[in-house]
């Protein structure tokens, strides 16, 4: 092989190596990122708009608030489990919850409830001992969730997804 061909192959190999490392960093970043806290004035009181082509009484929910499911991020045994909030969904250590966390010492027997209000997914703390956190902020009343929001219940973290 000529020196020119070897030089070109070296550059191609180096470029492929950099692309590989960039992809690995992207995957790690995607896994460990925590959504930015909502500091805007809109917050949970974001305006709801009704368009003229909507059925009477219909509420159009803005795109970030169109949460369809909740997905468990941690712990590993529950990772990937998803649930919808069409019907109220309770989480806690007691066996009568929809998601029973019987081995989680930081969860209360009836810890939190996910539900839909005005076509928006909400979470409320059910007077738990250790509290329920949305994006690392403890909530004391029901909170509306946006896509990407993370809710911590005991040692379980769930993320709002589309």
């Amino acid at each position: 092989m000529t020196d020119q061909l070897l030089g070109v192959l070296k550059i191609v190999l180096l470029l492929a190596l950099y692309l590989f490392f960039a992809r690995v960093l992207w995957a790690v970043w995607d896994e460990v990122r925590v959504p930015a806290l909502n500091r805007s004035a809109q917050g949970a009181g974001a305006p709801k708009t009704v368009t003229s082509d909507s059925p009477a009484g219909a509420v159009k929910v803005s795109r970030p608030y169109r949460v369809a499911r909740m997905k468990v991020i941690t712990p590993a045994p529950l990772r990937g489990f998803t649930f919808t909030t069409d019907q109220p969904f309770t989480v806690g250590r007691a066996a009568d919850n929809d998601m029973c966390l019987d081995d989680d010492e930081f969860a209360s027997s009836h810890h939190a409830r996910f539900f839909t209000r005005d076509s928006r997914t909400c979470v409320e703390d059910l007077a738990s001992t250790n509290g329920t956190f949305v994006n690392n902020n403890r909530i004391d009343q029901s909170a509306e969730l946006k896509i990407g929001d993370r809710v911590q219940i005991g040692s379980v973290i769930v993320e709002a997804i589309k």
Side-chain angles (χ1 to χ4, degrees):
M1 286 194 192
T2 65
D3 289 337
Q4 289 177 339
L5 182 59
L6 286 174
V8 170
L9 288 175
K10 236 192 297 188
I11 291 172
V12 169
L13 179 64
L14 191 59
L15 183 63
L17 188 63
Y18 278 119
L19 288 174
F20 171 75
F21 282 125
R23 177 63 181 112
V24 169
L25 287 174
W26 182 266
V28 169
W29 173 256
D30 195 41
E31 281 296 316
V32 299
R33 75 169 174 81
V34 175
L37 298 177
N38 187 7
R39 295 185 189 100
S40 67
Q42 289 180 331
K48 302 170 191 172
T49 57
V50 179
T51 59
S52 59
D53 59 344
S54 299
V59 176
K60 183 177 180 184
V61 178
S62 63
R63 190 170 299 246
Y65 290 92
R66 293 183 192 162
V67 175
R69 297 182 320 242
M70 301 299 294
K71 179 180 178 182
V72 176
I73 304 298
T74 60
L78 295 174
R79 186 181 184 130
F81 174 78
T82 60
F83 61 91
T84 62
T85 56
D86 297 339
Q87 299 294 322
F89 191 91
T90 58
V91 180
R93 281 188 302 163
D96 62 341
N97 286 299
D98 296 309
M99 181 190 294
C100 180
L101 307 173
D102 55 353
D103 59 342
D104 189 345
E105 59 192 41
F106 299 107
S108 296
S109 58
H110 294 93
H111 197 103
R113 179 174 74 105
F114 293 88
F115 61 96
T116 303
R117 177 179 55 214
D118 296 330
S119 300
R120 293 181 179 215
T121 298
C122 301
V123 62
E124 71 176 338
D125 185 68
L126 299 175
S128 64
T129 304
N130 293 322
T132 301
F133 295 82
V134 176
N135 295 331
N136 295 326
N137 292 324
R138 188 174 183 150
I139 60 170
D140 54 356
Q141 60 187 12
S142 65
E144 291 182 349
L145 300 175
K146 298 186 316 270
I147 294 173
D149 283 350
R150 291 191 176 190
V151 179
Q152 182 174 353
I153 300 163
S155 61
V156 174
I157 299 175
V158 294
E159 182 175 17
I161 59 176
K162 208 169 185 182

